[in-house]
Amino acid sequence: MRINKEDILAGFPILEMRDLFRSFGQGVINIQTVALKLNVTLDEAEEVMKCLERQGYIEKEGDDRWDKTIKGNALTNAKAGPGFSRKTAERKLNDFLERVKKVNESNFAYKVETVAVFGSYLTEAEKLGDVDLALRLKPTFDDPEEFGKLRNERINLAINKGRNFKSFMDQLFWPHEEVLKFLKSGCRVISIHDMDREEILKKVNFEVVYPQKN
């Protein structure tokens, strides 16, 4: 997602609202916290919350409790900038799908099972934000022993190439992370989301772009 730094959201500069959303992390949002962060009264904070809820950035979780929606999480991670042309977005998506094929033809511990595009790419706009992609990866081998062997090979290969891991968990999840890094390849246009963990496709319109329909 990309935002125009001149935009206003719920009566505040959108960059200020982005900072507000970032301050929540994965926690629950309440009126008192919003009032404190924005330096407004509780009544004013309540109006802000109602506006954010109407526009789909938050959803009610209980009495005086809200949580960020997918749209709210997108704002949290949004970049400020002019966006990209549709032509550029289409080219970058095609490049990404070529990298998907390379992953599935290579010796990575995970393969790409599904890629779906959602967000501004599915609109008719000529100026787009990020190309939002939901991915599902699967282990290369169904057999746990074979998969474990390949996973360890990928970890050892990374270590031999000089990669340092901050923790055992970072090392353990590296075979999954390296696939995502290869797919991303530093492309600023592409934004990758976990299809299962974030349950994105249950809440938004999407189009499956891999595997392609015959």
Side-chain angles (χ1 to χ4, degrees):
M1 179 180 182
R2 288 192 171 266
I3 53 179
N4 186 332
K5 63 182 180 180
E6 304 300 327
D7 286 348
I8 300 295
L9 175 60
F12 291 83
I14 197 162
L15 292 181
E16 186 172 348
M17 296 304 292
R18 183 187 66 178
D19 291 342
L20 173 68
F21 272 63
R22 287 179 174 177
S23 72
F24 293 133
Q26 299 300 318
V28 173
I29 307 166
N30 58 55
I31 292 176
Q32 290 79 7
T33 303
V34 171
L36 180 64
K37 296 286 186 181
L38 296 180
N39 193 28
V40 297
T41 66
L42 290 176
D43 288 342
E44 290 170 333
E46 184 175 6
E47 290 303 312
V48 169
M49 300 293 282
K50 288 179 180 178
C51 180
L52 293 173
E53 186 175 14
R54 284 196 302 270
Q55 295 191 42
Y57 289 94
I58 58 175
E59 57 188 2
K60 200 74 177 285
E61 290 294 326
D63 294 338
D64 191 28
R65 292 162 56 89
W66 285 262
D67 198 4
K68 289 183 287 187
T69 62
I70 290 172
K71 188 175 180 180
N73 283 323
L75 175 61
T76 302
N77 298 314
K79 308 177 188 70
F84 306 94
S85 69
R86 179 166 292 279
K87 184 176 180 180
T88 295
E90 290 174 348
R91 176 167 53 83
K92 294 299 184 180
L93 176 57
N94 288 333
D95 291 346
F96 181 90
L97 294 177
E98 286 299 317
R99 292 195 292 275
V100 168
K101 293 178 183 177
K102 289 181 180 179
V103 166
N104 289 348
E105 293 169 355
S106 301
N107 196 38
F108 288 104
Y110 289 86
K111 303 300 184 188
V112 181
E113 183 176 73
T114 310
V115 181
V117 62
F118 65 97
S120 62
Y121 189 88
L122 296 183
T123 69
E124 296 181 356
E126 285 301 320
K127 204 71 172 179
L128 307 178
D130 295 348
V131 177
D132 290 298
L133 299 176
L135 269 63
R136 177 178 289 125
L137 303 184
K138 64 177 181 179
T140 296
F141 295 112
D142 294 329
D143 180 79
E145 186 174 342
E146 286 188 278
F147 171 69
K149 181 179 178 181
L150 180 55
R151 182 184 60 194
N152 290 336
E153 287 177 0
R154 300 305 302 184
I155 292 171
N156 290 332
L157 180 61
I159 293 173
N160 291 336
K161 288 184 176 181
R163 176 169 289 275
N164 294 314
F165 297 102
K166 295 180 180 179
S167 68
F168 173 73
M169 294 304 294
D170 285 343
Q171 178 174 306
L172 185 64
F173 285 107
W174 168 249
H176 188 278
E177 183 67 19
E178 73 165 336
V179 173
L180 297 180
K181 285 182 176 295
F182 179 83
L183 292 171
K184 176 77 171 176
S185 290
C187 179
R188 296 185 299 113
V189 180
I190 298 294
S191 180
I192 296 176
H193 307 263
D194 188 311
M195 185 179 293
D196 295 317
R197 182 167 57 85
E198 300 182 29
E199 297 187 328
I200 286 173
L201 302 190
K202 293 182 179 180
K203 301 179 181 180
V204 299
N205 294 325
F206 66 91
E207 179 181 329
V208 174
V209 292
Y210 184 87
Q212 296 176 333
K213 296 179 181 179
N214 295 327

